[in-house]
Amino acid sequence: MSQVLQPQHKLSRRAVLTGAAAVGGLAIGVDVGGIAHVFAQKGAEAGTHELGAWVVVQPDEGVIIRIARTEMGQGTRTGLAQLVAEELECDWKYVQTEMPTAGQNHARKRIWGEMGTGGSRGIRMSEQYVRQGGAVARTMLVEAAAQLWKVPASEISVSKGVVTHAVTKRTTTYGKLASSAALLPVPDLKSMKLKDPKDWTIAGKPLKRLDTADKLNGSKVYAIDLKLPGMLVAAIKACPVFGGTLAKFDATAISTMPGVRHVLRVDDTAVAVVAETYWQAQKALASLPVTWSEGTNAAESDATIAARLADGLTASGDYAKNANGDAFETLKGSAKRIEATYGTPFLAHACMEMMNCTAKVTAERAEAWVPTQNAESSHAALSEATGLPLDKCEIYKFDPGGGFGRRGGAQDYVRQAARIARQIPGTPIKMIWSREEDMTHDVYRPISQARMEAGLDDKGNLLALKMRISGQSINAYMSPALIKDGKDERQLQGLTAARSDAYIGYTVRNLLIEYAMRNSSVPVGPWRGVNTNQNAIYLECFMDETAKAAGRDPLEFRRALMDNHPRHLAVLNAAAEKAGWGKPLPDGMHRGIAQFKGYGSYSAAVAEVSITPRGRVKVHRLVFALDCGYVVNPNQVEAQIEGSVAFGLSAVLYGENTVKSGQVVEKNFDTYQLVRIDEMPKVESALVPSGGFWGGVGEPTICVVAPAVMNAIFAATGKPVRSLPLKNINLRA
């Protein structure tokens, strides 16, 4: 069983292992002597020239822009390249991109900054320094021309990579200047003067994305597709009960099965079978006798978790909160009092590409090929799992086949692959989770409940609002150091005062919003939109209940509370106007509205739904308005909104992970359903960028999908929807 597998197809030095084979990106290839790693340093690779850390100019006028953030289909690669190219003043048709690695970033003192991609910060948290990087490269090229022609740099202009000295009518190109420009000192980033967005010619335009062609023609290499010489494949199984451990296994029972090479304990919780192919490894793993030590968490269930959450709704204590006025006393004296309790379930990420990682470990070096949202976190995980220092480790990042937060802070799959590879030194090991492993060992969106109370005066005006949210804490699982005095303000995302990038958009004189931490054994983490999803449901659906109790139109009721929140109000009005709020609908159709702020952006949505006599919900139309400050590529923004509908509507209609005997019940798409193409509504968008700030796009609009749909159902039935998914709700007429 010592056969060495050969790759199924030849891979060139410049077209392998980056997941961007067609664009000539970062060269990480396979040589006869093993795995080689080549990076385009200043003048180091076949006539290319580095101008600062962000730009490499080639003699043939090709421009390579380095992108440190992860492309997951959200368009970050294209958007960041547009921002760099805008300041560089190059010709967009010559632009390509490449990904620096975490090891290179570490070796160059984090010159590309933080490499994590999540929280809708791919562009908004990078825009300044990448634009500065483009300006640095332009400055160096202009200075090279000035020295060549012996004229002041101030007399030189640039357009689409052509450099002109108008006085002498001389011209040249970036490609011809690159070698001399690369020898100049790199200016300070902070000294660069950036363009006013009103003068943009590349940024702000609906340019075609740079990451689409290879996806369409099938040439794209995802990490799960990777093949390396001599590579073996591992299938893994962890204890199905969270917190349980591996007691024992009988390797002899499968040792003669086809292709099996190794049966390994991975850590205290998992066992892996390493074979020549994944099918062989998975089949053998399924036949492996394993005994688990399940521990006390085997007693965890939906019922025990729900009881814990219910306790958090009523227990006394000092919780994370946002408060002003006196909500308690005002509620007591209100002419009308409204109360409701809402709940949202655990949700899996359900990425189409399951968790996987290929690792090669020797005594001197560790390498991993990873579909990751955070190359630096993967780098740290590889170092931790192998015991090798960071400068002896390297991460080669692939575009993930879905991320949604799963591939960010949680690097469990990287650690597992590294621990397997460490036991088989010098052999590349590709570890792939099965769909069942992926679904039952996720870091789920937190479960929570919310108790809502509102008080109205005799004219239907809102006097007081009180919310108590009880649920799991992401920080308790992933970042305990961020919890202060037992309080986790992160879980109030979108409900805090106006000092963050996600705050409440209503002025309520007497307000009390609290968060009571009630954790379970189920691990939780960021899920596209994180806490704005649940919190928007609680606030915006209860707003509709309160508006009805006040005898007011839901839109007008909201408007009366938004005088001090002009941007919230602007997107609310834009969505309502585009949707035709107040205009007649066909028989059986009903509208719902919602607004919220998250990730620095303001969003609103109007849903149009119908309900069949058998209680089936059909969402016909969703109209959005979004103010993200500046729009780098309007096509990408609209695509992100459409993607948020598919993701968010899946959660509204079907999404739910239940717990029995300490295990997640839903193991595959037969029990964890996603929306299908015939269930997608018509999606319309109104982009209303007001400028002056940079907001996110990937997550803000998802938080208004659910409440807009739920409020439309409320309008249709007269009964509020207070829990999800809708598959569990009887909506029959």
Side-chain angles (χ1 to χ4, degrees):
M1 299 198 307
S2 59
Q3 176 185 358
V4 176
L5 301 182
Q6 297 299 320
Q8 293 186 358
H9 57 274
K10 269 191 165 183
L11 302 173
S12 70
R13 283 182 58 116
R14 290 194 59 82
V16 191
L17 316 184
T18 63
V23 293
L26 177 62
I28 307 169
V30 178
D31 284 341
V32 175
I35 301 168
H37 319 286
V38 183
F39 188 60
Q41 300 290 352
K42 186 183 294 186
E45 186 180 351
T48 64
H49 302 284
E50 179 181 276
L51 304 175
W54 298 97
V55 176
V56 174
V57 176
Q58 299 170 314
D60 63 358
E61 308 303 330
V63 174
I64 298 172
I65 295 175
R66 293 177 180 148
I67 306 297
R69 303 288 187 177
T70 299
E71 177 58 62
M72 299 176 282
Q74 81 279 30
T76 292
R77 176 174 298 144
T78 303
L80 289 176
Q82 284 180 255
L83 289 173
V84 175
E86 182 65 58
E87 299 296 337
L88 179 59
E89 295 275 13
C90 66
D91 191 331
W92 179 254
K93 70 183 179 183
Y94 295 129
V95 169
Q96 298 176 343
T97 62
E98 70 179 19
M99 295 181 288
T101 69
Q104 291 149 3
N105 201 33
H106 174 73
R108 297 179 68 173
K109 303 186 188 310
R110 301 189 82 211
I111 195 168
W112 289 283
E114 186 246 327
M115 302 181 80
T117 308
S120 297
R121 66 181 185 269
I123 287 179
R124 70 187 177 112
M125 294 300 188
S126 305
E127 56 83 19
Q128 183 173 11
Y129 60 80
V130 301
R131 292 162 70 201
Q132 290 170 336
V136 160
R138 184 193 70 242
T139 299
M140 294 171 70
L141 288 159
V142 168
E143 180 59 31
Q147 292 185 13
L148 174 67
W149 294 331
K150 295 181 172 50
V151 300
S154 59
E155 295 180 359
I156 294 174
S157 63
V158 181
S159 177
K160 293 186 177 181
V162 176
V163 183
T164 301
H165 184 239
V167 176
T168 60
K169 298 183 180 180
R170 283 179 289 188
T171 64
T172 187
T173 64
Y174 277 176
K176 294 174 182 176
L177 292 169
S179 58
S180 55
L183 300 176
L184 297 174
V186 178
D188 180 13
L189 282 180
K190 296 178 181 178
S191 69
M192 296 295 104
K193 182 179 179 181
L194 302 178
K195 286 186 179 181
D196 189 313
K198 67 180 176 57
D199 298 323
W200 284 348
T201 60
I202 297 175
K205 307 303 178 184
L207 302 181
K208 292 181 179 179
R209 285 172 52 160
L210 301 174
D211 64 316
T212 302
D214 55 356
K215 295 175 183 175
L216 295 177
N217 65 27
S219 66
K220 188 173 185 65
V221 177
Y222 288 94
I224 203 169
D225 305 319
L226 176 65
K227 294 177 175 64
L228 296 174
M231 184 178 75
L232 297 176
V233 185
I236 192 166
K237 182 187 291 183
C239 182
V241 175
F242 298 113
T245 58
L246 173 63
K248 61 180 181 180
F249 57 89
D250 182 7
T252 61
I254 62 168
S255 60
T256 61
M257 290 185 71
V260 173
R261 298 287 194 88
H262 306 274
V263 184
L264 304 171
R265 177 184 287 270
V266 180
D267 48 34
D268 291 338
T269 65
V271 60
V273 174
V274 181
E276 295 168 10
T277 70
Y278 177 71
W279 177 251
Q280 292 170 336
Q282 190 60 36
K283 290 289 287 184
L285 183 61
S287 300
L288 179 68
V290 181
T291 302
W292 306 105
S293 178
E294 294 183 342
T296 58
N297 290 338
E300 194 91 87
S301 68
D302 287 341
T304 62
I305 295 170
R308 197 172 302 131
L309 296 178
D311 172 75
L313 294 180
T314 58
S316 60
D318 186 15
Y319 304 116
K321 62 186 177 183
N322 175 24
N324 57 263
D326 192 335
F328 279 106
E329 290 302 317
T330 307
L331 283 167
K332 291 178 183 178
S334 298
K336 183 177 286 189
R337 191 164 174 174
I338 306 95
E339 298 183 5
T341 299
Y342 286 79
T344 51
F346 291 116
L347 290 175
H349 295 82
C351 303
M352 292 308 296
E353 180 189 18
M354 294 87 74
M355 298 304 107
N356 70 91
C357 174
T358 299
K360 180 180 178 182
V361 180
T362 66
E364 296 80 27
R365 185 168 175 80
E367 300 164 296
W369 292 259
V370 191
T372 180
Q373 290 181 238
N374 193 327
E376 289 184 299
S377 290
S378 298
H379 197 210
L382 181 63
S383 174
E384 175 193 337
T386 61
L388 292 168
L390 288 173
D391 59 2
K392 300 295 183 183
C393 298
E394 186 57 285
I395 295 293
Y396 308 118
K397 183 173 66 173
F398 283 69
D399 292 352
F404 316 120
R406 176 61 178 92
R407 290 179 156 106
Q411 296 289 324
D412 45 352
Y413 60 106
V414 175
R415 293 185 183 89
Q416 287 180 339
R419 287 166 182 160
I420 295 169
R422 190 179 184 184
Q423 298 180 64
I424 314 172
T427 299
I429 305 295
K430 178 163 67 173
M431 182 208 69
I432 305 174
W433 286 18
S434 66
R435 175 60 63 190
E436 291 74 17
E437 192 75 8
D438 196 88
M439 291 289 290
T440 58
H441 290 84
D442 205 339
V443 285
Y444 304 85
R445 190 189 77 173
I447 193 170
S448 63
Q449 294 181 5
R451 184 177 181 183
M452 317 289 293
E453 298 178 63
L456 300 171
D457 66 15
D458 56 3
K459 296 180 181 178
N461 298 309
L462 182 64
L463 298 178
L465 176 65
K466 180 175 176 288
M467 301 174 61
R468 167 72 71 83
I469 299 172
S470 174
Q472 286 205 228
S473 160
I474 292 173
N475 282 340
Y477 181 72
M478 304 191 78
S479 307
L482 297 179
I483 296 176
K484 305 298 183 185
D485 302 321
K487 306 170 190 174
D488 185 5
E489 290 191 4
R490 181 183 188 182
Q491 299 303 121
L492 290 179
Q493 185 183 21
L495 299 174
T496 56
R499 64 177 185 273
S500 67
D501 68 357
Y503 58 83
I504 191 167
Y506 302 113
T507 298
V508 183
R509 291 183 181 179
N510 300 283
L511 177 72
L512 178 60
I513 304 175
E514 299 174 312
Y515 171 71
M517 191 189 308
R518 291 295 185 272
N519 296 321
S520 76
S521 63
V522 180
V524 295
W527 182 96
R528 187 175 180 178
V530 197
N531 302 305
T532 60
N533 288 308
Q534 308 93 292
N535 294 345
I537 288 171
Y538 302 149
L539 179 64
E540 288 300 291
C541 289
F542 191 61
M543 274 289 168
D544 263 39
E545 288 200 51
T546 308
K548 183 173 183 179
R552 305 271 290 279
D553 173 80
L555 174 60
E556 295 306 323
F557 186 77
R558 287 174 170 83
R559 283 173 169 165
L561 300 170
M562 301 175 77
D563 287 346
N564 297 324
H565 304 276
R567 283 184 166 131
H568 289 83
L569 179 59
V571 293
L572 183 72
N573 287 337
E577 180 180 356
K578 188 173 182 65
W581 186 270
K583 294 180 180 179
L585 282 166
D587 289 345
M589 297 272 284
H590 300 270
R591 290 192 183 101
I593 195 165
Q595 70 81 31
F596 212 67
K597 183 185 181 187
Y599 304 96
S601 292
Y602 306 81
S603 61
V606 174
E608 294 178 359
V609 310
S610 65
I611 303 174
T612 68
R614 300 183 64 181
R616 186 175 185 272
V617 175
K618 172 67 175 177
V619 183
H620 297 268
R621 184 185 182 213
L622 271 164
V623 178
F624 291 86
L626 176 69
D627 180 1
C628 56
Y630 296 106
V631 171
V632 175
N633 187 316
N635 284 354
Q636 289 176 191
V637 173
E638 291 177 357
Q640 280 291 81
I641 292 172
E642 292 162 2
S644 74
V645 171
F647 204 75
L649 203 54
S650 292
V652 173
L653 297 175
Y654 307 115
E656 177 184 38
N657 289 109
T658 57
V659 180
K660 182 179 180 181
S661 300
Q663 307 176 37
V664 164
V665 174
E666 294 74 22
K667 293 181 169 59
N668 213 314
F669 290 122
D670 58 335
T671 51
Y672 193 83
Q673 189 175 340
L674 306 179
V675 293
R676 301 186 180 187
I677 191 69
D678 65 332
E679 296 174 295
M680 273 294 289
K682 181 181 181 181
V683 180
E684 301 174 37
S685 305
L687 306 184
V688 287
S690 59
F693 68 98
W694 290 80
V697 172
E699 292 163 286
T701 52
I702 194 174
C703 67
V704 291
V705 171
V709 171
M710 294 165 73
N711 287 339
I713 295 171
F714 182 30
T717 65
K719 298 177 182 179
V721 177
R722 293 174 176 167
S723 65
L724 293 174
L726 292 176
K727 70 176 184 178
N728 297 336
I729 308 298
N730 184 2
L731 296 174
R732 290 176 183 266

